Each structure stands twice: as structure tokens, then as C-alpha cells.
């Protein structure tokens, strides 16, 4: 790794002011001669100011004794954290989710069934969520720790943004297909829950696994489960592995009801939050 590549990775920490005196001087020296790194720095300074500014905006009413209800202030803070995170989420997530959704619409129209969209939705969502918080290579984490916003709030904000975006994509895709086929009357809350539950489950599973084993492995785990669940009943097995596959399918089938899946999603979400908090404490210590 050359000097530029190495120092470029330090820039978020430089912006957050968490480098040692010696490292700071080295970055400052390099910044004078590298326009690329200067651009990177101004990006991170913008982000850092955004997060700090959001905190000041929340404190300002207190100083002026303006009676702002506590809940309103919480909402205000949540809004600012959400807004600051939009820029920090990998841009590929928005684009690839949208592209795969378009693919889903095309397949659904060709197959004349909206189920193609429902089958693809958990894949898209799990892949996006697995990449919102890579512990090893997330420079924003150090920045986060230098501000009053906790890692858990950041994680929750990114999850809400990416998961919400995917819900919206799937919802609009399925409505479009039902509309084209003249079946809008088929839409119901039960159907909505039917596709949202596996999406929530695989997304929270991917999130949890990404914190433990990294994004790529998390995607593999979530995809394998969904493929097994989707394809297994269609296949016929013979030989000594058949019994194992059948019992696995049965096990997955038992958890396939929306309420079970939503409960498991909540559990995985809570575990992910707990794990993030624990990791942050360890990093700060
Ligand atoms: Zn450079």
C-alpha cells in the first residue's frame, strides 16, 4: 500500500481529530500535495459538521429556555441522524436495489405472477442491509465515536433508510404489476405481511451476521436460507442426504408463518443492537 492509499484511510480520523500528533503531521504534510486527499477531507469535514451541528441544534432550544417537548426533540435528532446517514450509505445499495427491482418487475410480467417480486425482495433487502455497517472498514465508525451520536443510533438510522427503501421498492413494484394485470383488488394486508415478514427476517439475519462475520458471509447465509426455503419443496431427493434435507425444510416451514418470522427478526435486531453497543464500549475503552 503506498503512502497516498494509507493516508487516505486516515482522513476520517483526521477530520474527527482522533489521530496522534505524529500521524496528524504526516497527514497534513501529504494534504498539501494531494488534491484527491483534500477533496476526501472536505467530504469528511462536511459529515462531521453535519453530525455536530445536529447535536447543537438540539441543544439550542434548551439554552434559550424554549419549551420544546422532549419527544419533539427526539424526533428532531432522529431526523438529523437519518439525514446525515444518507450520504454515508454506499451509493451502490440504492442503485443495485432499484435495478434488481426493475428486473423483478420484468420477470413478474413475463411469468404473469407478482410472486417473482416477492421472491426477489428478501434477496435485495438482505444484500443491502449486509453492507450498511462493515465493522472492519467503516471509517464512519471512528467519526461516530468522536460525536455524541452512538453507534447504535447510526446503525438504526441506516437500517431504517435501507430497509424502508426496499419496502417502498417492493410495494410499488407489486402494485404496478397488480395494476397492469388488472388485479389490484387482490391486494390485502395479509399479502403485505406475507412478503414483508421474510424480508424483515432475512434482513435482520444479514445485519446480525454481517456484524459477526462480515458482509459477504452475511449475504451467503441469508441467500442460502432463502434459496433452500424457496426451492427445496420443488425438488425430489433420494439417497442418504434426503432425510436431512426434508427435516430442514420442515423446520424452515415451521418458522415460515409471518408472525414467527417477525418475532425472530425482532430478536435478531435486538441482538445486533446489543452487539454493536458492546463493541462500541470495547473500542472506547
Ligand atoms: Zn493522497
Amino acid at each position: 500500500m503506498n503512502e497516498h492509499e494509507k493516508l487516505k484511510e486516515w482522513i476520517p480520523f483526521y477530520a474527527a481529530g482522533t489521530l496522534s500528533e505524529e500521524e496528524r503531521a504526516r497527514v497534513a504534510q501529504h494534504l498539501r500535495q494531494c488534491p484527491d486527499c483534500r477533496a476526501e477531507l472536505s467530504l469528511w469535514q462536511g459529515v462531521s459538521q453535519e453530525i455536530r451541528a445536529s447535536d447543537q441544534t438540539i441543544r439550542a432550544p434548551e439554552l434559550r429556555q424554549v419549551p420544546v417537548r422532549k419527544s419533539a426533540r427526539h424526533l428532531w435528532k432522529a431526523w438529523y441522524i437519518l439525514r446525515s446517514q444518507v450520504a454515508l450509505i454506499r451509493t451502490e445499495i440504492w442503485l443495485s436495489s432499484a435495478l434488481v427491482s426493475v428486473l423483478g418487475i420484468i420477470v413478474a410480467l413475463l411469468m404473469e405472477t407478482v410472486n417473482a417480486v416477492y421472491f426477489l425482495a428478501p434477496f435485495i433487502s438482505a444484500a443491502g442491509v449486509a453492507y450498511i455497517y462493515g465493522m472492519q472498514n467503516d471509517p464512519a465508525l471512528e467519526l461516530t465515536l468522536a460525536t455524541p451520536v452512538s453507534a447504535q443510533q447510526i446503525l438504526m438510522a441506516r437500517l431504517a433508510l435501507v430497509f424502508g427503501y426496499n419496502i417502498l421498492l417492493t410495494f410499488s413494484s407489486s402494485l404496478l404489476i397488480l395494476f397492469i394485470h388488472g388485479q389490484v383488488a387482490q391486494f390485502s394486508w395479509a399479502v403485505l405481511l406475507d412478503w414483508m415478514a421474510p424480508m424483515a427476517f432475512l434482513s435482520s439475519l444479514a445485519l446480525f451476521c454481517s456484524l459477526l462475520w462480515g458482509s459477504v458471509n452475511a449475504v451467503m447465509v441469508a441467500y442460502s436460507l432463502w434459496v433452500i426455503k424457496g426451492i427445496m419443496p420443488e425438488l425430489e431427493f433420494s439417497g442418504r442426504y434426503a432425510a436431512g434435507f426434508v427435516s430442514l425444510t420442515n423446520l424452515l416451514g415451521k418458522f415460515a408463518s409471518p408472525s414467527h418470522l417477525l418475532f425472530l427478526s425482532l430478536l435478531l435486531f435486538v441482538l445486533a443492537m446489543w452487539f454493536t453497543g458492546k463493541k462500541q464500549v470495547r473500542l472506547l475503552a
Side-chain angles (χ1 to χ4, degrees):
M1 193 188 287
N2 65 31
E3 181 82 350
H4 163 71
E5 280 169 44
K6 187 182 166 92
L7 293 186
K8 195 173 176 183
E9 285 182 4
W10 287 6
I11 285 177
F13 313 128
Y14 182 84
T18 56
L19 289 179
S20 74
E21 205 49 50
E22 196 186 325
E23 290 165 337
R24 251 193 111 66
R26 212 168 129 196
V27 174
Q29 166 81 21
H30 176 74
L31 280 170
R32 259 172 255 147
Q33 56 201 16
C34 181
D36 185 26
C37 285
R38 281 202 295 275
E40 182 83 2
L41 176 65
S42 66
L43 172 85
W44 283 108
Q45 279 172 335
V47 172
S48 152
Q49 268 159 17
E50 176 88 346
I51 296 175
R52 289 199 182 108
S54 72
D55 193 57
Q56 275 157 16
T57 318
I58 301 143
R59 281 187 190 153
E62 276 178 336
L63 293 171
R64 282 185 275 116
Q65 299 293 318
V66 177
V68 176
R69 277 188 302 123
K70 215 174 178 174
S71 59
R73 254 186 288 141
H74 280 310
L75 277 178
W76 205 225
K77 185 170 182 178
W79 166 247
Y80 271 100
I81 296 175
L82 275 179
R83 239 187 49 180
S84 72
Q85 291 308 303
V86 174
L88 290 176
I89 293 173
R90 287 162 160 261
T91 39
E92 303 98 294
I93 293 181
W94 309 121
L95 192 66
S96 53
S97 298
L99 286 177
V100 183
S101 291
V102 171
L103 186 76
I105 294 173
I106 295 170
V107 173
L109 287 175
L110 290 176
M111 290 172 67
E112 296 186 358
T113 167
V114 70
N115 288 339
V117 168
Y118 299 151
F119 183 70
L120 273 180
F123 282 116
I124 304 173
S125 184
V129 167
Y131 281 91
I132 57 173
Y133 204 80
M135 269 297 194
Q136 286 92 21
N137 49 17
D138 187 0
L141 182 65
E142 284 290 322
L143 196 63
T144 302
L145 298 180
T147 67
V149 181
S150 79
Q152 286 161 321
Q153 287 171 318
I154 295 287
L155 185 59
M156 250 191 283
R158 293 184 188 180
L159 186 65
L161 285 168
V162 172
F163 188 66
Y165 175 68
N166 283 310
I167 291 278
L168 210 67
L169 275 180
T170 310
F171 185 68
S172 44
S173 306
S174 61
L175 268 191
L176 178 74
I177 291 157
L178 290 176
F179 179 77
I180 290 175
H181 289 156
Q183 299 167 328
V184 182
Q186 276 185 17
F187 174 82
S188 71
W189 292 111
V191 170
L192 195 75
L193 207 63
D194 268 348
W195 61 257
M196 223 183 260
M199 225 172 134
F201 172 68
L202 286 186
S203 301
S204 53
L205 181 72
L207 175 72
F208 182 68
C209 293
S210 76
L211 296 176
L212 289 181
W213 305 305
S215 307
V216 176
N217 293 325
V219 170
M220 298 277 274
V221 171
Y223 276 26
S224 309
L225 258 185
W226 191 233
V227 166
I228 292 171
K229 164 90 181 65
I231 295 173
M232 282 305 170
E234 316 282 319
L235 298 176
E236 280 191 29
F237 294 105
S238 54
R240 62 197 177 104
Y241 295 115
F245 277 133
V246 169
S247 58
L248 181 64
T249 319
N250 288 343
L251 185 73
L252 288 170
K254 270 191 191 129
F255 284 109
S257 82
S259 51
H260 276 134
L261 284 176
L262 286 175
F263 174 75
L264 284 173
S265 317
L266 195 68
L267 198 73
L268 283 164
F269 172 73
V270 170
L271 275 174
M273 284 300 145
W274 170 79
F275 189 72
T276 309
K278 218 180 82 168
K279 252 192 159 164
Q280 186 182 13
V281 169
R282 211 164 54 211
L283 279 165
L284 283 172

